[in-house]
Each structure stands twice: as structure tokens, then as C-alpha cells.
Amino acid sequence: MKLYEIEKEKIITITAKNEKGASLSFKTETAFSVNELLFVQPVRKGDSVLDFSRKEVQVSVTYASDEGTVTEWAGCAVKNVTYQQALYTVMYAAEEGKAINRRNNYRQFLYYDGVMQLGKNRRELEVKVRDISVMGVGIIMEEEHELKDMGVINLEFQDQEFDIPIQVYADPVRKEKLDDKRTAYGCRIVQSETNLGRYLAAKQKSEACRVHGTYFDNKKFLHDGNRKTKE
């Protein structure tokens, strides 16, 4: 499947990675295609439109179809343009997209407040839960620690949209010093008290319904998923 073949009014995820390997992801909606170019709604931060066209930024696009197939296009060319008096972000990928494992690769960006227990004394620290997938979780904290001294952490946070508690046990495997002097940690999940696959699917469905103005019963969806897991 070519990038420009994605239908209009579909949700895609744009991931931008800098030369240091740090990445951020943003969701937007497709508009239309012209001459093998995909036009999407520009990603805005406040009153500004984000620019992904800098040479040092690598851009990829991920799209989850209604059937559940997830496709990724790497090395996309991106440019903000004005077309027919409207502003769009235009994207182009020379190669066809590659199917990826949705369960293992999909990452949900959250930025929720959380609390983790750290070290042998299980000291509690306030953190920001940046993102989560079935396999891992990203956190940001004021303090900096050596990975070898952290051990397995107990992380808890409240999903603000669904109003449900999430608890995971995770092993920090990498860290990154941020520009604001905080430290980000990438952690491999070793145990979860939540059906994370179902939780992430619910977050995706909720976002798609919100964009299209339809209703999504997240409580029923999550309850049905937990019931099937127990059965």
C-alpha cells in the first residue's frame, strides 16, 4: 500500500525523530491525495503549525486500518503548503508501507501524572507517564538515577479519560537527559495488573470516535475484554 492511498478522514500517526534518537508522535487526519502526495491536516501546537521538514528530522507515518492492520512508512518527505487557500501538511513516501505488529509496536502517548516506587526501600517519587505500549512504558522525572541502581519499579497512574487505575512493574533499560534538565527513562514492562492490549485498543478507538464525532462506550469495551480474558 502506498502512503497516498490512505483514504480521506483517516487518523494517522506522524513520528519525528531527531539526530539524537529522541522521538515524538502526533496524530492528525488525512484530507486527500494529489499526484501521489498525501495531504493531511497540519499538526498544531497552540497557534503554531509544526514543521517536520528540517533535514535532521526523520519522519515516519503509521496508519491503523479499520480491519486492525497497522502499516508504517519510513523516510517520509514532509512539507507545509498552502493549497486552494488552505494550509496542509504534504507527505510523500517512495516505498510501499510495511505491516507491523500492532500489539507489540503501538505506543500510546499519555503525559499523565504517576507515582512510582523505587529501590530496595520502595521510595515513592512523582513522575510523568509519557507513553505506554504492551511491551514498555516511558516516564519522566526530576531526579536522575543510574539504571543499575533502580531495579524493577512499581508504577501506578490514573487514566484521566477512562478514570481507571493502571499499574505496571517495569525494568528501566535506557535513559535520556532532556533539555529542561529532567530525565526520561524507557522501561520494559515485566508484569501488569491491567490488560494492556485491550486498554491500548480502547484508547485508539476512543480517539477515532472523537475525531469522527461518534460515541464510544469505553467501560463496556474494557469490561468485555476483561471478561474474555478471564474466560
Side-chain angles (χ1 to χ4, degrees):
M1 181 181 184
K2 290 285 191 177
L3 181 63
Y4 67 86
E5 293 177 327
I6 301 176
E7 298 177 354
K8 65 179 182 180
E9 298 181 350
K10 297 295 184 180
I11 301 299
I12 63 171
T13 301
I14 300 173
T15 299
K17 180 184 294 185
N18 64 19
E19 66 275 15
K20 296 180 180 180
S23 62
L24 290 174
S25 293
F26 309 89
K27 293 187 184 297
T28 188
E29 187 178 58
T30 59
F32 53 87
S33 297
V34 176
N35 296 330
E36 298 190 358
L37 300 175
L38 179 65
F39 286 67
V40 306
Q41 300 300 332
V43 178
R44 300 180 183 274
K45 186 176 182 180
D47 295 331
S48 302
V49 174
L50 298 187
D51 181 9
F52 300 101
S53 62
R54 290 179 296 172
K55 292 183 179 179
E56 66 272 19
V57 177
Q58 300 177 20
V59 177
S60 62
V61 172
T62 308
Y63 166 61
S65 70
D66 295 338
E67 293 75 27
T69 302
V70 179
T71 307
E72 181 181 50
W73 293 263
C76 297
V78 187
K79 186 177 182 179
N80 294 332
V81 301
T82 299
Y83 181 81
Q84 295 183 349
Q85 300 182 335
L87 181 63
Y88 297 97
T89 296
V90 177
M91 314 195 74
Y92 173 76
E95 305 295 332
E96 291 197 357
K98 295 183 178 179
I100 63 175
N101 187 319
R102 176 180 185 175
R103 177 171 293 275
N104 290 338
N105 288 275
Y106 177 76
R107 185 169 295 276
Q108 177 69 45
F109 286 81
L110 301 172
Y111 216 71
Y112 288 158
D113 292 328
V115 175
M116 78 172 190
Q117 293 181 349
L118 174 69
K120 296 180 180 179
N121 298 324
R122 313 315 293 166
R123 182 164 65 97
E124 287 195 351
L125 294 173
E126 294 183 353
V127 300
K128 284 289 186 183
V129 183
R130 180 166 65 177
D131 54 62
I132 192 169
S133 70
V134 169
M135 305 296 290
V137 61
I139 60 174
I140 299 174
M141 54 192 298
E142 299 289 343
E143 298 183 8
E144 182 177 1
H145 297 270
E146 294 298 324
L147 296 177
K148 61 182 177 62
D149 298 330
M150 297 180 71
V152 174
I153 64 171
N154 177 10
L155 175 66
E156 299 181 44
F157 65 92
Q158 189 80 8
D159 184 279
Q160 298 174 9
E161 179 185 10
F162 297 161
D163 192 28
I164 59 173
I166 306 295
Q167 181 181 14
V168 300
Y169 296 88
D171 183 18
V173 294
R174 63 182 179 277
K175 71 176 183 178
E176 171 194 355
K177 197 68 177 177
L178 303 180
D179 293 338
D180 60 6
K181 297 184 179 180
R182 296 184 299 170
T183 304
Y185 295 86
C187 309
R188 178 178 58 84
I189 293 176
V190 296
Q191 182 181 338
S192 174
E193 301 299 323
T194 305
N195 183 339
L196 291 178
R198 193 71 176 180
Y199 168 65
L200 293 170
K203 297 294 284 187
Q204 287 181 287
K205 286 182 177 291
S206 176
E207 186 157 5
C209 289
R210 184 164 56 251
V211 169
H212 294 290
T214 55
Y215 174 71
F216 172 61
D217 189 344
N218 66 75
K219 291 184 178 179
K220 182 178 185 302
F221 184 86
L222 290 168
H223 176 267
D224 290 349
N226 289 332
R227 184 178 59 188
K228 291 177 181 178
T229 299
K230 292 177 181 178
E231 292 174 353

